Amino acid sequence: QVQLVESGGGLVQPGGSLRLSCKASGSTFWIYGMGWYRQAPGKQRDMVATITSDGITNYADSVKGRFTISRDNVKSTVYLQMNSLKPEDTAVYYCNRARGSYFNWGQGTQVTVSS
C-alpha cells in the first residue's frame, strides 16, 4: 500500500504563493494518475487538480490559471504550485490517486490565506 505525506502548507497573504509537495512511498508510483484535493471546514473534499502518469493535467475551474500540478516520478513526488492565492483557497490539502481506489489518505497540509 502506498503511503502519502503532504507538506508545504502555511499561512500566506492574499496574492501570495505556496508550493505543496506529496511524497509517495513504493516503487509503482509512476503508474498512477495523481491528484490534489482540498477540504475546507464544514465542506466536502473536492478535487483541485489531477495529473496522469504521462503528465496530462486537469484543473478545477476555481484554480485554473493560478495553480499548476506537476510530478517527479524519480522522486515519487507530486507538486502543487499555487499562485495568486485567495482567502477561499483556505483548506487542508491532500494528495491521492486521481481515480479508482484511493490509497489511505495522508494527514494533509493546512493552507491558510489571510491578511
Side-chain angles (χ1 to χ4, degrees):
Q1 177 68 286
V2 173
Q3 303 296 317
L4 303 167
V5 179
E6 300 93 347
S7 62
L11 173 63
V12 63
Q13 292 186 342
S17 297
L18 284 173
R19 188 193 194 203
L20 307 184
S21 298
C22 171
K23 173 70 173 176
S25 66
S27 60
T28 58
F29 166 82
W30 62 273
I31 69 173
Y32 297 110
M34 295 295 294
W36 281 97
Y37 304 80
R38 66 186 180 187
Q39 187 168 20
K43 296 187 177 181
Q44 68 180 17
R45 187 175 293 165
D46 291 328
M47 185 277 289
V48 174
T50 61
I51 185 167
T52 65
S53 58
D54 52 358
I56 298 172
T57 59
N58 186 50
Y59 298 92
D61 287 343
S62 59
V63 306
K64 280 182 181 177
R66 300 188 298 122
F67 290 10
T68 303
I69 187 172
S70 61
R71 65 189 297 161
D72 184 332
N73 289 335
V74 173
K75 296 181 179 180
S76 297
T77 302
V78 182
Y79 303 98
L80 186 68
Q81 178 67 43
M82 306 188 295
N83 299 327
S84 302
L85 282 160
K86 304 176 180 180
E88 51 263 44
D89 294 319
T90 295
V92 179
Y93 284 70
Y94 304 86
C95 69
N96 213 307
R97 289 185 63 178
R99 61 179 61 189
S101 299
Y102 290 125
F103 302 130
N104 290 333
W105 292 90
Q107 82 288 350
T109 186
Q110 175 72 48
V111 172
T112 303
V113 185
S114 175
S115 54

